[in-house]
Structure formats: C-alpha cells, structure tokens
Amino acid sequence: MKIVILDGYCLNPGDLSWDGFAAMGEVTVYDRTPTDDEDGIVRRIGDGEIVLTNKTPITRAILDRCPSVRYIGILATGYNVVDTAAARGRGVPVCNVPGYGTASVAQLTIALLLEICHKAGQHNQAVHQGRWSGCADYCFWDGTLIELAGKTMGIVGYGSIGRAVGEIARALGMTEIATGPHPWADGERPAPYVPLEELLERSDVVSLHCPLFPETRGLINRERIARMKDGAILLNTSRGPLIVERDVADALNSGKLRAAGVDVAETEPIPADSPLLTAKNCVITPHIAWAPLEARQRLMDIAVGNLRAFLNGSPENVVN
C-alpha cells in the first residue's frame, strides 16, 4: 500500500517520527507541495492509495486524475482544502484530526491577551536596551497596563477550545459569556449563552473560536466592531478570514479597539502589505497556537489511528 504525505514539514520538521504510517505501508513524504500546481500534485500522488495533506488542496479535478486514492487524511482539524463532496461521491473517506490542540490553542490565546495587558515582550526589550538600568525610579512602564479580574470575556464559538479559554479566563477572575450556532440551556455549559450582538456589546475581550464557513467569513467587520465596547480587545486564534483585516486595522488605528492579538491571517503567510502589520497595538504570531511538540505528537498519533481504523474497516473522524 502506497502512502503519500504531500506537505509533512509543518507537522514534522524533524522532531517527530513517521514510523506509525511506515508500519502500514510504503511511505513517501514531501516537505512541501506547491498548492497551485495541479499537475505537480497529481504526479506526487501517482498511484498512491492513501493521501495525507495539511494545506495542499485535493480538488475534484485531482481526484478525477488519481483514481487509485482510497483514503484522504487531513493532518489538521480544518478540512476546507479537500473537496469532501467529490471524495464522498467516489467512496473516499476524508478524516481529520479534532481535539489535538485544545490546550495549546487556549494557552496561546491567553498568552496573546497577557502580552497585550502587560507588554512583557516590549518591557523585556526595553530592559535589555538599558532603560531600567538608567531609570530615575525603581520601575517604569510604557503605556497603560491592564488587570483582567472583573472584566468580561466574550467567547465566539464554544467548542472544546472556547471552553478551555473560558476556564482560564475564569481563573483570572474574568466573567465569561459565550455564543454559538445554537443556544444552550442554563447550566448545560459553564458560560451563559448570549446572542452574538449582545456579546459584542458587553465584552471587554472578544475571543474567536469558531470554524470558517461561508456564514462566519468576515464575521468581525466594520458594522460589528461598531457594536463593540470602546477600547475592547479582539483575539483571533481560529481562522484568519473570520475578521476583515482592513476594518480591524482601522478600528485599532482610530482607538475604537484598544488592541488585537492574532495568530492567523486572511492569507498565510501574512502578506507584507497586510494592514495589520502597521496597525496600532496589534500583536501577531505566525500561526503557532497548534505547534507545541506535545500537540503535534497528539496530531500525529490521531492521524495514524485514523488510518489504522480505516484499514480495519471502521473509519474514525470522517468529515464527509
């Protein structure tokens, strides 16, 4: 059985092992595959039966040209890179990896928030530049620092990651409210349900943890930002296109938003002309919330388990 991994470097730059897959077949690993080269993708799949991808697209046209494919594994949670309907029509299951990064994504979400509140990186740099050594007082700080206790955290998308973020927020003394696609009964989940518009109006911090669907694309735009509190903080560690970057940048530059912390961008890698790069008080990390070694090992283990379950006749985490 031939197993083709189209873009393995992000998951495994050398600190993990592909041995779990190698135990089930002949494995070919490509670090990267150009996403805009259909012919190249088809050549690399060849007569492979098992295809694993992270960001390399598997379209209907590619599936038409690769009839040997029996299984598609996503080395991630999001599966929008695969034409799942086309795969289903061919009897090809598409299996993703949910849940592997709950702790790490929640951790980075709060790290971005704490960086905004205390500017630890900025102050560390200032100290190393000698500003504390030459200070007339025993301490100094740049700008207003923020205490989170007593403030309201609004969580948009209350799945496992949203709930994990809420748990940390409560530990910091914050009040948690949340919204999702369907209301829930009081006590069913830890956070009270409120409609999105009310959440935006009440929250001091708005954190996005929803999937990217047509109805969530551009969820945070000029009109919705206008409903938010003056000086609110926006966090996005979910999907870049959930926000309209120009609208968020304008709100940061005008002071409507106090700050933003994002780990994702509309286009990745982030373009050099992204308005977020020059916006005021915008902390940006390069899509690393999922990347701690422990989380990537869980991802690898679940992906191996998905393939093993398929070969045993009981596929798991099927999204189509």
Side-chain angles (χ1 to χ4, degrees):
M1 181 177 64
K2 292 185 177 180
I3 302 170
V4 179
I5 300 169
L6 291 171
D7 47 7
Y9 185 85
C10 275
L11 170 58
N12 180 17
D15 53 359
L16 298 177
S17 171
W18 298 111
D19 287 353
F21 289 110
M24 292 181 279
E26 175 190 340
V27 177
T28 301
V29 180
Y30 297 99
D31 283 348
R32 301 170 185 86
T33 295
T35 59
D36 58 352
D37 181 4
E38 180 181 304
D39 290 340
I41 295 170
V42 169
R43 282 195 300 272
R44 288 192 169 182
I45 293 174
D47 59 353
E49 300 165 79
I50 308 300
V51 178
L52 298 160
T53 181
N54 186 330
K55 293 294 184 288
T56 304
I58 307 295
T59 63
R60 181 180 297 272
I62 289 171
L63 288 169
D64 286 342
R65 298 173 63 185
C66 299
S68 62
V69 173
R70 297 194 294 129
Y71 172 93
I72 298 172
I74 310 294
L75 299 174
T77 301
Y79 50 89
N80 55 299
V81 297
V82 176
D83 188 329
T84 53
R88 182 175 63 248
R90 290 160 175 75
V92 175
V94 179
C95 300
N96 75 335
V97 181
Y100 74 92
T102 297
S104 61
V105 175
Q107 179 176 297
L108 183 71
T109 302
I110 299 300
L112 289 171
L113 178 57
L114 294 177
E115 176 61 27
I116 288 167
C117 292
H118 280 279
K119 303 181 177 69
Q122 176 182 325
H123 285 96
N124 170 67
Q125 185 177 39
V127 170
H128 281 87
Q129 290 170 345
R131 288 186 54 196
W132 196 14
S133 301
C135 187
D137 301 305
Y138 75 93
C139 67
F140 74 93
W141 57 89
D142 286 332
T144 301
L145 306 183
I146 304 166
E147 183 178 278
L148 291 171
K151 292 185 170 55
T152 298
M153 165 74 85
I155 298 172
V156 182
Y158 204 57
S160 60
I161 295 174
R163 293 196 298 274
V165 169
E167 183 177 355
I168 303 172
R170 293 195 305 275
L172 292 170
M174 302 185 75
T175 298
E176 177 194 9
I177 57 176
T179 194
H182 307 289
W184 50 84
D186 290 344
E188 181 183 340
R189 299 186 186 180
Y193 173 90
V194 297
L196 175 61
E197 306 306 328
E198 180 182 342
L199 180 143
L200 296 175
E201 293 167 359
R202 290 176 51 187
S203 298
D204 300 292
V205 180
V206 173
S207 193
L208 306 181
H209 300 286
C210 43
L212 179 62
F213 294 131
E215 59 269 26
T216 60
R217 182 177 292 272
L219 183 74
I220 302 300
N221 53 32
R222 189 176 306 275
E223 291 72 25
R224 288 205 167 103
I225 292 170
R227 301 194 68 145
M228 294 172 68
K229 283 185 176 182
D230 291 345
I233 296 169
L234 176 66
L235 304 173
N236 185 15
T237 55
S238 186
R239 294 290 181 263
L242 294 176
I243 71 172
V244 179
E245 291 184 354
R246 169 47 62 191
D247 293 352
V248 170
D250 288 347
L252 289 167
N253 292 330
S254 71
K256 170 63 179 178
L257 291 177
R258 179 191 294 268
V262 300
D263 184 53
V264 287
E266 285 188 73
T267 301
E268 294 177 345
I270 193 169
D273 61 353
S274 168
L276 294 182
L277 291 173
T278 54
K280 296 178 181 177
N281 301 321
C282 189
V283 179
I284 306 172
T285 50
H287 204 142
I288 59 170
W290 72 287
L293 177 62
E294 296 86 349
R296 288 185 291 110
Q297 183 64 65
R298 279 193 297 273
L299 193 163
M300 180 77 79
D301 293 343
I302 296 170
V304 168
N306 283 348
L307 178 54
R308 187 178 296 114
F310 165 73
L311 294 176
N312 289 336
S314 301
E316 298 176 350
N317 298 315
V318 179
V319 297
N320 66 333

